[in-house]
């Protein structure tokens, strides 16, 4: 690296440049999946689902940014990511029995 930019300048520049894509990706996914599955056809329900999917997308992107900041080796990061996600899934109730 030639130290052209500071870390904060890179972070804010990259974050600003990727905001349109980060907003558009969940919107396209939800627009296709929501209406293809014939979910509730009321407008406010769609926008609530859109807000929730956007927030989940931003949380997962920030989680990936934290992992990539803490661990520089790709193989180690790939191996450790499931080890950190599975306890979060257990606490969040992902494996709860619905019956």
């Amino acid at each position: 690296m030639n130290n052209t930019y500071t870390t904060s300048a890179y972070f804010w520049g990259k974050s600003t440049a990727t905001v349109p894509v980060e907003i558009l990706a969940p919107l396209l996914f939800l627009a296709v999946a929501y209406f293809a599955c014939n979910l509730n056809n009321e407008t406010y329900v769609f926008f609530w689902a859109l807000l929730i999917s956007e927030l989940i997308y931003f949380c997962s992107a920030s989680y990936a940014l934290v992992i990539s900041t803490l661990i520089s080796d790709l193989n180690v990061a790939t191996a450790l990511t499931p080890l950190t996600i599975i306890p979060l899934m257990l606490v969040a109730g992902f494996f709860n029995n619905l019956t």
Side-chain angles (χ1 to χ4, degrees), residues 18-54:
T18 59
V19 164
V21 174
E22 289 180 352
I23 291 174
L24 190 63
L27 174 66
L28 290 175
F29 169 76
L30 188 69
V32 170
Y34 192 86
F35 297 111
C37 293
N38 197 19
L39 297 177
N40 193 345
N41 243 357
E42 296 183 34
T43 306
Y44 75 94
V45 177
F46 173 76
F47 284 112
W48 271 111
L50 179 62
L51 176 68
I52 290 169
S53 67
E54 291 283 347

Side-chain angles (χ1 to χ4, degrees), residues 15-90:
S15 297
T16 305
T18 59
V19 164
V21 174
E22 289 180 352
I23 291 174
L24 190 63
L27 174 66
L28 290 175
F29 169 76
L30 188 69
V32 170
Y34 192 86
F35 297 111
C37 293
N38 197 19
L39 297 177
N40 193 345
N41 243 357
E42 296 183 34
T43 306
Y44 75 94
V45 177
F46 173 76
F47 284 112
W48 271 111
L50 179 62
L51 176 68
I52 290 169
S53 67
E54 291 283 347
L55 292 175
I56 290 171
Y57 185 85
F58 284 132
C59 286
S60 62
S62 64
Y63 182 75
L65 186 61
V66 166
I67 293 294
S68 67
T69 303
L70 295 176
I71 304 168
S72 59
D73 186 19
L74 179 63
N75 292 329
V76 174
T78 304
L80 289 179
T81 299
L83 294 176
T84 58
I85 289 178
I86 290 174
L88 294 173
M89 289 168 53
L90 289 172

